[in-house]
Amino acid sequence: GLFETSLETYVEEEYDDGELVYRPPPLDEVWLSEGERRERRKSLNDQRERRKAREEARAAESARRLRLLVPEDIRPHRDPVETTPIVYDSDSDDDSVADDSSPVPVLESEGDLWADHPSVTAGPSTPGAPTPALVEDDSPAQTNQPARRRRSQVEQLNADEYKGSRDGNLGRNRSGRSKRITAAALARAPTKVQSALRAKIKYKQSMRSRREIGDNMLSFAKTEYRSGRDTVTVDDVDVPSVDYIMNCPLSRFIHFAANECGYAGTREDLVVNWVHPFFLKAKSEASKGDNPSWKQAMNGPFKKEYWEAAVKEVETLEGMDAWEVVDKTDDMNVLQGTWAFKCKRFPDGLIKKFKARFCARGDQQLEGVDFFETYAPVVQWTTVRLMLILEVLLKLKSKQGDVTAAFLHADLNENEKVYVEMPLGFRKPGKVLKLKKTLYGLRQSPRMFWKYLTNAMIACDMEVSKIDPCLFVGDKVIAICYVDDILFWSTDEGHINDLAVKLREQGLLLEQEDDAAGFLGVNLEKTEAGLIEMKQTGLIDRVIIATGLDTKMATPKWTPCENKNPLVRDEDGDLATGEFSYASVVGMLLYLAGHTRPDIAYAVNCCARYMFNPRKSHETAVKRIARYLKATRGKGLIFKPSSELRIDCYPDADFAGLYGHEKSNDPICAKSRTGFVIKVANCPILWQSKLQTETALSTMEAEIIALAHSCRELFPVMDLVHEMGSVVGLPTEDLTTMHVSIHEDNAGALVLAETIPPDFTPRSKYYAIKTVWFREEIQKRKIKLLKIETVEQLGDMFTKGLPRATFEYLRRKMMGW
């Protein structure tokens, strides 16, 4: 029965020899009468229509407000956002001319190449065909309608043509053309658009012809070609020679494919350097030769240079008093050592220098014997972004420094006795090294260097922040460190130089670099207006290349995810193709979304949930993000702070967003999603998108959970701004001068958050106790809770997929573009 099996059927399905002979009807057909079922269907349809109307109205309002934000002179020409409220951007690789939303009309995706395959049915491709799908008009009703609706209109017109009409507007003329279609064809597309369409059609026709020839060649079991006087087949050759590949008919197709990827050399150079397996192996071995082992280095052509580098490394370590030579005893846990050699080259391939480094095998250490603690903090990116905002707001000067041989600065604790074998080439029988310094490779090396750097900063009158242990605040300088990379800010460069001199006097080998133009792979570009833009163009290029979208035919997208359905587990879907490393690409996207691209945070988090068992649909979702990044490759996070120091928090929640999409027997389907962004001086410094760990029973409860989560991050940000304010001259003695506001679009959550504990609202009595802590802090910190329109809720970008108009409006308000 229902209560015994916890299934949504009252009887089981019946099978006979594996065939389904009876399937019980749905429960609503058993429990509800015919009238009740009609009423239920009508109620569901009304609900869908109301939701669709709300989405369209919100998208239209977002488009209107976006036009107000963007000046007329810099507005993109013929932006689809201005003509239609909702643009459903599909993940399909099919790029028909009638439904192309890519920024460049001549671009195509790799799906189009196979759309031209003779086994795939292709539509009409005559350049001058006056079909309504190819006619571009300025009318909003004609430019961006979905393809499905457009086809139904044409079918209706074709049906009406043969019915005739008294006014003569229907039917066909003497030439056989439809009168109504001929009238619509009078609106001609611009010349450049027509040229682009003709070029696209011509390209597709040539690709179809090339693929037909290639498929015919590959269909034969034996490929033959003439080599001198003899006829050679593939079966006759185990390892093809250069001559074989050069004369093989497929070589010109290899050359054609390379040209499409940007190769500009000759076919012979291509075969010799990139195609032939022997040369590929030679290139691989050459790359390995730049990182040889000890045996390879001491027996190779550069054995003299590598030996000199090893001698220099040992002399440097002994000069820093890194160890002492002691007798080996049986009770010692002696770690093995290893040499890491590197042949550094110039970009043109010439050798720059030979490097050698001696490391300890930290994987052989024993906890409680060789090491005790390993925790070593690094600076939070919230702190980095906040300092960049203050740099723009207060015109601060910045400098970046790097610590040479960082880990060798710190001493080992007295209770930690670490022994390492003597390096190869410098060994003595019965002798081992007792380390005094934290050698590279030890488990505790990062922690010991952080403690050493902290002591050096304290000796230079720099206090450690109570919020971020890698933030050091002084009277005139603020510094942050990420392992051995240090950033300095001050109102005067002289103060930074004075601090650097003091640190060197403490024994820190600090080398000065340029200003903070790049930090941990993030480029910090300064504009002429004095603003700062954080970019990760190099990482975006790696994502594009890894997903195979680095060709001219890959079609960009304008949104990172669909706004129709969320990404689900898809257990019954097609298996992943394995075209790219799913985990590797998602890892790069997570680093990108967490540092400079909050606009992809929701889409990346959805893909990251299926890291260990991806399906083809998940790969398609990742490629869509890559297509969006390709369309916005040169964009980043622009810091344009307002003159007033404000802290704004935008929490939002999507109540049970997976319900009805994910399988009902999966508990995840009932989970809600939290999304929020925290802005300081109108610049985002912290954002997050994630599923809630507990199951909310109402929209109000989901919003309260999101509000509580955002408050856990908001309160430390307030303390951090207050701590820095005294150094840079900000008026933060009274927290009320910071104008901290939480913008909430749910009325029930707003009322409960403003209720002073222990009071609560009737609908929240079963979870009100969990909210006491942040409601008390809101009262003590005098934080304002403001009602905000849904169309202005920035947190909405982190909870669900949005239409293009709404997405671009929120992105401009958050990221500045």
Side-chain angles (χ1 to χ4, degrees):
L2 172 65
F3 300 99
E4 296 177 0
T5 60
S6 298
L7 298 177
E8 294 186 357
T9 56
Y10 57 97
V11 292
E12 296 290 341
E13 296 177 346
E14 296 183 9
Y15 292 87
D16 185 11
D17 294 334
E19 295 184 1
L20 180 66
V21 296
Y22 174 75
R23 174 176 292 169
L27 287 180
D28 57 354
E29 295 185 7
V30 179
W31 291 349
L32 302 180
S33 64
E34 182 63 28
E36 289 174 333
R37 286 197 295 271
R38 285 197 302 267
E39 188 67 24
R40 182 171 180 268
R41 285 194 294 269
K42 182 178 181 299
S43 176
L44 292 175
N45 290 332
D46 293 342
Q47 183 179 358
R48 294 191 188 98
E49 292 296 329
R50 289 195 301 269
R51 180 175 181 179
K52 181 179 179 181
R54 285 198 303 269
E55 289 181 353
E56 292 180 351
R58 181 183 176 190
E61 179 64 17
S62 298
R64 185 187 69 81
R65 299 190 184 190
L66 181 61
R67 289 194 295 271
L68 296 178
L69 288 177
V70 183
E72 187 79 23
D73 54 344
I74 65 174
R75 193 175 301 164
H77 180 60
R78 291 183 58 80
D79 193 348
V81 176
E82 302 179 9
T83 61
T84 180
I86 296 183
V87 177
Y88 294 104
D89 204 358
S90 173
D91 275 346
S92 174
D93 286 341
D94 184 19
D95 301 323
S96 63
V97 179
D99 193 21
D100 192 359
S101 61
S102 61
V104 184
V106 297
L107 296 181
E108 292 182 286
S109 71
E110 65 272 24
D112 276 331
L113 302 181
W114 287 108
D116 296 330
H117 197 278
S119 63
V120 181
T121 303
S125 58
T126 306
T131 60
L134 294 179
V135 176
E136 284 207 30
D137 197 354
D138 293 334
S139 173
Q142 223 174 357
T143 53
N144 289 293
Q145 290 295 328
R148 176 180 57 82
R149 182 178 300 174
R150 198 158 40 241
R151 288 194 296 269
S152 63
Q153 291 175 354
V154 174
E155 293 171 358
Q156 184 63 35
L157 289 175
N158 293 334
D160 293 340
E161 288 170 0
Y162 297 98
K163 295 179 181 179
S165 177
R166 293 181 180 180
D167 56 8
N169 291 331
L170 296 179
R172 294 182 176 271
N173 56 21
R174 293 181 179 180
S175 62
R177 294 185 178 182
S178 169
K179 294 181 179 180
R180 181 169 295 182
I181 293 183
T182 302
L186 293 177
R188 304 300 298 173
T191 305
K192 292 184 178 180
V193 176
Q194 293 180 3
S195 301
L197 294 176
R198 285 193 294 269
K200 185 172 184 176
I201 294 172
K202 183 178 180 181
Y203 170 79
K204 297 176 78 173
Q205 290 175 344
S206 65
M207 287 296 301
R208 184 185 300 113
S209 175
R210 289 177 181 272
R211 289 198 177 277
E212 287 178 356
I213 298 173
D215 288 345
N216 290 335
M217 289 184 175
L218 293 175
S219 63
F220 294 104
K222 295 183 178 182
T223 301
E224 300 183 354
Y225 78 98
R226 286 284 178 179
S227 177
R229 299 181 179 178
D230 301 327
T231 300
V232 184
T233 65
V234 177
D235 296 338
D236 298 332
V237 183
D238 294 331
V239 178
S241 63
V242 174
D243 179 65
Y244 171 84
I245 299 178
M246 284 292 298
N247 291 278
C248 179
L250 294 179
S251 65
R252 59 194 182 102
F253 292 99
I254 297 175
H255 190 214
F256 169 75
N259 288 338
E260 289 297 316
C261 297
Y263 179 76
T266 64
R267 191 187 305 178
E268 183 176 2
D269 292 338
L270 174 67
V271 171
V272 170
N273 293 312
W274 299 103
V275 178
H276 195 269
F278 287 161
F279 288 95
L280 290 177
K281 183 177 181 182
K283 285 180 174 292
S284 176
E285 293 298 331
S287 177
K288 294 179 180 179
D290 289 346
N291 299 274
S293 63
W294 169 267
K295 183 180 294 186
Q296 293 170 341
M298 294 301 113
N299 294 280
F302 303 108
K303 51 182 175 291
K304 178 182 177 182
E305 289 79 4
Y306 281 123
W307 172 252
E308 293 176 352
V311 172
K312 183 178 179 181
E313 171 72 2
V314 172
E315 290 177 350
T316 302
L317 293 176
E318 289 185 339
M320 299 181 69
D321 196 23
W323 59 57
E324 63 175 334
V325 181
V326 298
D327 296 328
K328 182 180 180 180
T329 59
D330 295 336
D331 58 341
M332 293 179 178
N333 179 38
V334 181
L335 308 179
Q336 293 181 354
T338 181
W339 281 103
F341 294 102
K342 173 69 176 178
C343 176
K344 295 189 175 181
R345 298 178 181 269
F346 291 103
D348 58 1
L350 295 178
I351 296 176
K352 183 178 181 180
K353 67 174 182 178
F354 295 88
K355 178 71 176 176
R357 171 159 288 174
F358 180 66
C359 306
R361 291 282 303 273
D363 58 304
Q364 298 177 354
Q365 289 185 264
L366 301 177
E367 185 175 3
V369 178
D370 299 317
F371 72 98
F372 294 93
E373 295 183 70
T374 59
Y375 169 72
V378 294
V379 67
Q380 305 172 24
W381 272 96
T382 302
T383 307
V384 178
R385 283 188 282 265
L386 179 58
M387 286 307 307
L388 294 177
I389 293 173
L390 296 178
E391 178 180 351
V392 177
L393 194 62
L394 303 174
K395 307 294 191 239
L396 299 178
K397 307 296 182 182
S398 64
K399 287 292 182 182
Q400 183 174 358
D402 181 74
V403 181
T404 304
F407 289 173
L408 294 174
H409 286 75
D411 297 326
L412 282 172
N413 290 332
E414 295 181 356
N415 58 342
E416 294 178 343
K417 297 182 180 180
V418 182
Y419 302 94
V420 181
E421 290 181 351
M422 298 190 69
L424 283 172
F426 304 88
R427 291 183 174 176
K428 294 182 180 180
K431 301 290 184 179
V432 294
L433 303 178
K434 181 182 179 182
L435 297 185
K436 297 181 180 179
K437 301 286 186 178
T438 52
L439 205 62
Y440 279 91
L442 295 182
R443 303 276 291 274
Q444 64 267 44
S445 293
R447 173 178 176 81
M448 300 309 298
F449 173 72
W450 168 68
K451 294 177 67 175
Y452 174 85
L453 181 61
T454 301
N455 295 331
M457 287 288 186
I458 294 176
C460 297
D461 299 326
M462 299 285 290
E463 295 183 3
V464 183
S465 171
K466 298 178 181 178
I467 309 300
D468 193 332
C470 292
L471 170 65
F472 304 95
V473 181
D475 296 334
K476 300 178 181 179
V477 183
I478 296 178
I480 61 175
C481 70
Y482 195 104
V483 191
D484 58 346
D485 293 318
I486 306 177
L487 292 180
F488 301 92
W489 284 275
S490 181
T491 55
D492 188 359
E493 288 188 7
H495 301 324
I496 299 178
N497 295 332
D498 293 341
L499 177 60
V501 171
K502 292 181 180 178
L503 289 174
R504 291 187 67 88
E505 292 176 353
Q506 294 294 325
L508 194 69
L509 300 180
L510 185 65
E511 292 185 357
Q512 180 178 343
E513 298 182 1
D514 297 332
D515 57 355
F519 188 65
L520 301 178
V522 178
N523 296 327
L524 308 177
E525 300 181 1
K526 292 187 178 180
T527 63
E528 297 179 355
L531 306 180
I532 294 179
E533 184 173 6
M534 298 177 65
K535 294 182 179 180
Q536 290 177 281
T537 309
L539 186 57
I540 291 177
D541 291 339
R542 290 176 58 191
V543 172
I544 295 174
I545 294 174
T547 52
L549 300 177
D550 54 332
T551 63
K552 296 181 180 179
M553 284 72 70
T555 306
K557 296 292 183 182
W558 289 114
T559 56
C561 62
E562 283 189 339
N563 64 316
K564 297 179 182 179
N565 300 316
L567 191 64
V568 297
R569 195 181 302 274
D570 196 17
E571 292 180 345
D572 300 329
D574 295 336
L575 297 176
T577 60
E579 296 178 359
F580 57 90
S581 175
Y582 187 89
S584 175
V585 174
V586 171
M588 290 187 284
L589 291 174
L590 285 171
Y591 192 81
L592 190 63
H595 292 77
T596 60
R597 297 301 296 265
D599 50 333
I600 66 172
Y602 165 74
V604 174
N605 182 267
C606 291
C607 295
R609 293 182 55 232
Y610 312 106
M611 185 88 75
F612 300 102
N613 188 24
R615 297 285 176 172
K616 186 176 181 180
S617 58
H618 306 145
E619 289 183 333
T620 304
V622 169
K623 293 187 71 173
R624 182 189 177 94
I625 300 175
R627 293 177 186 275
Y628 170 73
L629 292 175
K630 183 173 184 178
T632 58
R633 174 183 174 275
K635 301 296 184 179
L637 187 59
I638 301 175
F639 289 108
K640 187 179 180 181
S642 59
S643 57
E644 182 182 9
L645 184 65
R646 297 179 57 90
I647 300 180
D648 297 284
C649 180
Y650 297 85
D652 193 28
D654 182 25
F655 173 62
L658 296 175
Y659 192 79
H661 303 281
E662 194 68 83
K663 287 187 175 181
S664 58
N665 59 357
D666 190 347
I668 294 296
C669 72
K671 298 293 184 182
S672 304
R673 177 171 288 273
T674 290
F676 66 88
V677 58
I678 299 175
K679 302 177 72 175
V680 175
N682 204 32
C683 297
I685 67 168
L686 180 61
W687 54 86
Q688 199 168 82
S689 174
K690 62 182 299 185
L691 285 179
Q692 297 178 359
T693 56
E694 51 187 313
T695 303
L697 303 183
S698 65
T699 304
M700 175 181 171
E701 184 180 357
E703 294 281 353
I704 285 294
I705 294 174
L707 178 59
H709 194 170
S710 64
C711 285
R712 287 200 295 267
E713 304 291 343
L714 173 64
F715 299 155
V717 170
M718 295 175 59
D719 298 336
L720 188 61
V721 174
H722 182 264
E723 187 176 25
M724 293 184 181
S726 59
V727 180
V728 295
L730 294 176
T732 57
E733 290 78 8
D734 186 3
L735 288 178
T736 57
T737 61
M738 287 197 292
H739 303 288
V740 182
S741 303
I742 298 178
H743 303 268
E744 179 62 58
D745 60 355
N746 184 272
L750 198 64
V751 171
L752 177 61
E754 290 181 325
T755 303
I756 301 177
D759 297 340
F760 54 84
T761 60
R763 294 171 56 190
S764 65
K765 58 185 177 182
Y766 66 95
Y767 62 86
I769 295 179
K770 296 186 296 185
T771 68
V772 170
W773 72 271
F774 76 85
R775 288 193 288 152
E776 290 179 344
E777 288 293 324
I778 287 176
Q779 298 297 328
K780 290 191 297 183
R781 295 173 179 266
K782 298 182 176 58
I783 298 175
K784 298 179 181 179
L785 287 104
L786 306 176
K787 186 72 170 68
I788 188 174
E789 299 179 70
T790 303
V791 73
E792 297 287 340
Q793 177 58 276
L794 298 183
D796 208 23
M797 182 183 289
F798 302 93
T799 58
K800 62 182 75 69
L802 300 175
R804 178 182 171 185
T806 306
F807 177 80
E808 290 186 346
Y809 174 69
L810 296 180
R811 184 185 64 190
R812 174 166 286 276
K813 294 201 66 177
M814 182 171 60
M815 301 182 64
W817 55 276

